[in-house]
Amino acid sequence: MISSLNIKSPLFEGIGDDDLDSMLCCIGANIASFARGANIVCTGDEISNIGVVLSGEVHVSKDDVFGRRQIMANLKPGDTFSEVFVCSGIEESPVTVTAATNADILFIDYASSIKRCTKSCTFHTKLIENMLSILAQKNIALSTKIDYLSTKSLRSRIAAYLLNESRKQASDLFCIPFSRNGLAEYLGADRSALSRELSRMKADGLIEYWKNSFKIIDKDGLRRV
């Protein structure tokens, strides 16, 4: 039996531990472990499950028409994947989900999770409400990324991303969830071009950085790029 003690996710918000234990048993949930770099879901795979990240980090990526990988999202414990597609009736995954670190994933059968079982479990309604909230938040995140990619230059793309991360973390000093290569893929840029632009922004007194840690020096300057 899966214990709810180590399972924390917005998908299960408002569902008590006892109910969560019963629900996971009722819908036949299971946990699988993946080593860093392993594909959890590949593009074209048949999908019917919702994945919940229990530990580690996960990247959701998609290849463009030229075969270049672009990271769509970086997921941490509690985050979910594939729910947008299974809720839309899409049977084959249009994205690849990869373990960015060693990761444990909880898999939930979508069909079982949205229908009331023979036991009339009351927590199913709450689960569906939570799922709708997550879908809405994913749409907002996608809209934000589209805003990044639609900006006029790589510098403005970087500036928009860093300013948004600073706002979310309520600090001018913050860490981002991407390596240089991951950030380049997320922003749809060449890694070398990204590194050059970051160096120029540092030289211009806009930012400081070390690995995935950033500090905004001139917020007004970033807003004007």
Side-chain angles (χ1 to χ4, degrees):
M1 179 178 178
I2 299 174
S3 172
S4 65
L5 295 179
N6 296 318
I7 299 177
K8 306 298 179 185
S9 171
L11 184 61
F12 307 128
E13 186 175 350
I15 300 174
D17 287 345
D18 290 341
D19 283 340
L20 182 53
D21 283 333
S22 298
M23 181 185 71
L24 294 175
C25 180
C26 179
I27 62 181
N30 64 88
I31 294 175
S33 298
F34 297 86
R36 177 181 179 182
N39 286 334
I40 301 168
V41 178
C42 293
T43 299
D45 281 356
E46 183 178 346
I47 49 173
S48 59
N49 293 328
I50 296 170
V52 182
V53 182
L54 299 182
S55 68
E57 294 189 17
V58 167
H59 285 168
V60 180
S61 64
K62 187 173 184 178
D63 291 343
D64 63 19
V65 293
F66 302 105
R68 296 174 301 200
R69 189 179 78 143
Q70 184 178 66
I71 294 179
M72 309 300 292
N74 179 77
L75 307 181
K76 295 183 177 182
D79 291 335
T80 58
F81 59 86
S82 294
E83 74 285 351
V84 173
F85 307 125
V86 293
C87 286
S88 301
I90 296 173
E91 297 179 351
E92 294 184 357
S93 178
V95 300
T96 294
V97 183
T98 306
T101 66
N102 293 342
D104 293 319
I105 308 297
L106 173 71
F107 291 101
I108 299 172
D109 180 67
Y110 171 71
S112 298
S113 67
I114 63 169
K115 65 182 181 182
R116 287 191 177 276
C117 65
T118 54
K119 299 177 183 178
S120 298
C121 303
T122 57
F123 45 71
H124 273 103
T125 298
K126 185 59 180 174
L127 182 70
I128 294 170
E129 290 176 358
N130 292 342
M131 196 176 302
L132 289 173
S133 177
I134 289 172
L135 291 174
Q137 293 170 23
K138 291 283 181 79
N139 283 335
I140 292 172
L142 179 59
S143 177
T144 299
K145 181 170 183 180
I146 291 172
D147 288 342
Y148 295 152
L149 298 180
S150 63
T151 53
K152 59 185 178 181
S153 67
L154 177 56
R155 174 172 287 212
S156 59
R157 224 176 297 171
I158 296 169
Y161 174 76
L162 294 179
L163 286 168
N164 194 46
E165 286 298 307
S166 174
R167 179 190 60 78
K168 287 195 299 184
Q169 299 185 41
S171 175
D172 287 341
L173 178 63
F174 54 90
C175 292
I176 67 171
F178 297 118
S179 63
R180 286 290 179 275
N181 191 58
L183 181 59
E185 291 175 354
Y186 181 74
L187 294 178
D190 176 78
R191 176 175 176 170
S192 296
L194 175 73
S195 295
R196 286 195 300 271
E197 195 57 58
L198 285 172
S199 295
R200 290 169 184 156
M201 294 171 76
K202 182 177 181 179
D204 290 342
L206 297 172
I207 60 173
E208 291 283 353
Y209 59 85
W210 185 76
K211 292 187 176 180
N212 67 332
S213 297
F214 284 81
K215 183 177 182 179
I216 293 179
I217 305 299
D218 185 355
K219 188 169 290 186
D220 289 336
L222 277 185
R223 290 171 176 149
R224 289 194 298 267
V225 302

